Amino acid sequence: MTTTASGPPVQAPARRRTRRRTTDRGFNRAFRWIAVGSGVLMLAVLAAVALFLLVQAWPALTASEDDLAASVPRYPADTSLLAYVGPLVFGTLLAAALALALATPVAMGIALFISHYAPPKLAQVLGYLVDLLAAVPSVIYGLWGIFVLGPAVLPVWEWLGQVLGWFPLFAGTVSPTSRVLATVSVVLAVMILPIITAVSREVFLQTPKLHEEAALALGATRWEVVRTAVLPFGRSGVISAAMLGLGRALGETMAVLMILSPGFLYSFKILTSAQHQTIAAYIAADFPEASGLAVNTLVATGLVLFVITLAVNMGARAIVARRKEFSGAN
Amino acid sequence: MAQRIDVKDLNIYYGDFLAVQDVTMTIDPQSVTAFIGPSGCGKSTFLRTLNRMHEVIPGAAVEGTVEMEGVDLYGPDVDPVAVRRNVGMVFQRPNPFPTMSIRDNVLAGVKLNNRRISRSDAEELVEGSLRGANLWNEVKDRLDKPGSGLSGGQQQRLCIARAIAVKPQVLLMDEPCSALDPISTLAIEDLIGELKQDYTIVIVTHNMQQAARVSDRTAFFNIAGTGKPGRLIEMDETSTIFSSPAQKSTEDYVSGRFG
């Protein structure tokens, strides 16, 4: 008994070793190293970025309030760094959230139209056009926002200010320049539309035929098929898509910088100018003039943006994972 | 409840391609009718014309008539959605909605048909349908768990419960046991025997023993060759088809000489 039991374990590793030697050659080995190397490289880059932010932000994080007030322009006296960054975080989140709220329903509508309603030829053309939106540089979006969209939506903003002025978002004086957070949000929404649409469309197209037929066979109309089979199946995919869009909206710099008339307040008045600023636009605007501790302060705000983006992504993953049992993956 | 189906001179096309040619048959109410035949002979395609499910494929069209109690399903003012509410279908692979609980799966069709249903009515319907599908005792303690957590055979019975919950007249089954093990298959076959009291049942099967076991009448479909249309060769009492069929090709097929 003992001899037979101890026999195979001694031989087994030897056999496995010979097998590896015969098969793990040439491109197989190269491929393994490329794959592992790419993974490690990605982690290393991420770690390097995080480390850079931490090291460069450190002097600002540890500096006294007086030092900061002395060397950073527009830094109010007797304010902690956190209180200073607060309005920027607020502006960033507000702009991104508004953009997401505007873009997600539209993107889902377009994605459903392309995947389940449009005739195949039209669907192809539409899909291509939406992808083209993603190829427009953000400087162009900025110019478009200033010269075309701003004047075009001004009557809408004025109407909102008059009729819905009691609602916190539309309170205050409506800026006649239209260079306000509302306009920025619309531009951001257009910018994140392609990514949300593209990902949602792919997810909707992957709805198993079986599930759609199950709904159809129960006597579902086209919309009911979408509601019972397509949307539940695509739910986590759409959330991921929205988070990808949110990531872009949070970090978008150029268009915000060009359009928004900045301010540093905790304000919901998105139709009034000189109320908000986003972190990315703030860094881009102030970096050319900054030196010394001011640079460190800018990097510290960048670190905050990095943390926010990270938190958004982790939150999205948590939402996707929460209903895994019902996701159809099992 | 159960209704009779009369099919006359039915041709089924996918675009220009004639898939099934010239089918004429009568399907009796409260009986089980089996369709047998080699792969690609058009029996599933024909089955899907009985609830207009084949229209899901672009370019699909039919000539001829399919009458259910005298009403042509392909009449100009007949809504395919209404047809499918009357003619339930169970598919080859069990397809409960993965995002729904067992209870919601059973209620899925009802919620489409009339949005509001009182809680007590819903409970009653869930229990009745699951009992009807011989699944109640196995799932009554986990109605809120996802339907996709059940075994294949249980999932298929859940799909049957979902189909009968909307109280259709006719139940179509497209190879309902081909993805199941023998014990689950037996459970489904027993269930078919019980369901025929209330419904007109049409079943497509590749398993000739199954056709012999469950059906009252059997239709044999065949195809002359690739690219040729499928045809109905003959239809008769199941015992006749398997003992003394009129056509030589039927005898060859059921005796296992080809196919």
Side-chain angles (χ1 to χ4, degrees), chain B residues 36 207-209 211-212 215 218 237-245 254:
Chain B
I36 59 170
N207 179 332
M208 279 178 281
Q209 284 78 18
S215 70
T218 299
E237 297 294 320
T238 298
S239 53
T240 314
I241 290 283
F242 282 94
S243 58
S244 50
V254 298

Side-chain angles (χ1 to χ4, degrees), chain A residues 25-325:
Chain A
R25 271 194 190 146
F27 193 71
N28 191 46
R29 174 177 290 182
F31 177 74
R32 189 154 54 86
W33 283 113
I34 290 169
V36 171
S38 310
V40 170
L41 185 69
M42 194 275 296
L43 282 176
V45 168
L46 191 68
V49 169
L51 196 71
F52 151 79
L53 284 171
L54 263 177
V55 169
Q56 289 291 309
W58 194 251
L61 294 176
T62 49
S64 72
E65 287 168 16
D66 296 338
D67 285 349
L68 284 170
S71 51
V72 181
R74 286 201 304 269
Y75 197 97
D78 300 325
T79 318
S80 71
L81 187 65
L82 218 57
Y84 177 69
V85 176
L88 291 173
V89 173
F90 178 82
T92 306
L93 289 179
L94 187 63
L98 286 172
L100 196 63
L102 288 173
T104 308
V106 177
M108 281 177 69
I110 298 174
L112 280 176
F113 179 72
I114 293 175
S115 65
H116 284 82
Y117 285 85
K121 280 220 176 102
L122 180 62
Q124 213 174 356
V125 173
L126 261 177
Y128 182 66
L129 286 178
V130 171
D131 287 345
L132 264 187
L133 271 184
V136 177
S138 54
V139 176
I140 307 291
Y141 276 115
L143 290 172
W144 176 71
I146 294 171
F147 293 118
V148 180
L149 186 79
V153 291
L154 189 58
V156 181
W157 298 158
E158 281 169 345
W159 180 84
L160 280 174
Q162 269 170 17
V163 179
L164 295 171
W166 49 269
F167 190 66
L169 280 180
F170 308 129
T173 334
V174 177
S175 163
T177 60
S178 208
R179 298 175 80 144
V180 294
L181 199 73
T183 311
V184 169
S185 300
V186 174
V187 173
L188 287 179
V190 174
M191 293 177 76
I192 65 179
L193 198 65
I195 181 82
I196 303 181
T197 306
V199 176
S200 305
R201 182 189 62 196
E202 285 309 308
V203 174
F204 291 151
L205 281 175
Q206 278 168 17
T207 312
K209 264 262 140 356
L210 268 176
H211 298 152
E212 288 184 28
E213 290 195 338
L216 275 175
L218 287 170
T221 59
R222 193 116 63 131
W223 159 241
E224 286 167 338
V225 171
V226 166
R227 207 193 57 199
T228 48
V230 180
L231 289 182
F233 178 84
R235 191 173 162 277
S236 58
V238 171
I239 293 176
S240 310
M243 290 306 136
L244 279 174
L246 186 58
R248 177 154 189 212
L250 285 171
E252 175 50 38
T253 312
M254 207 56 210
V256 181
L257 183 66
M258 292 169 77
I259 298 169
L260 190 62
S261 139
F264 295 87
L265 305 169
Y266 291 103
S267 162
F268 282 105
K269 296 174 188 162
I270 59 170
L271 300 180
T272 309
S273 62
Q275 307 284 311
H276 315 92
Q277 177 65 305
T278 72
I279 294 178
Y282 167 70
I283 296 174
D286 282 19
F287 189 76
E289 309 287 310
S291 63
L293 197 55
V295 173
N296 301 122
T297 313
L298 288 177
V299 176
T301 58
L303 179 66
V304 173
L305 183 61
F306 183 74
V307 171
I308 293 173
T309 318
L310 217 62
V312 163
N313 276 302
M314 285 163 76
R317 279 182 191 277
I319 294 171
V320 171
R322 204 178 55 198
R323 275 173 63 91
K324 207 164 224 164
E325 199 183 11

Side-chain angles (χ1 to χ4, degrees), chain B residues 162-230:
Chain B
R162 180 176 67 188
I164 63 180
V166 295
K167 310 223 179 332
Q169 321 282 340
V170 178
L171 202 53
L172 308 178
M173 298 184 162
D174 191 357
E175 300 182 41
C177 303
S178 61
L180 305 182
D181 67 279
I183 293 178
S184 304
T185 300
L186 194 66
I188 303 272
E189 286 181 7
D190 287 345
L191 179 59
I192 292 171
E194 290 167 28
L195 290 173
K196 78 170 178 179
Q197 324 273 325
D198 298 318
Y199 304 97
T200 305
I201 293 179
V202 186
I203 177 172
V204 168
T205 177
H206 266 134
N207 179 332
M208 279 178 281
Q209 284 78 18
Q210 183 170 60
R213 282 194 298 264
V214 302
S215 70
D216 302 299
R217 288 169 68 80
T218 299
F220 172 62
F221 287 77
N222 203 355
I223 189 167
T226 325
K228 302 260 175 59

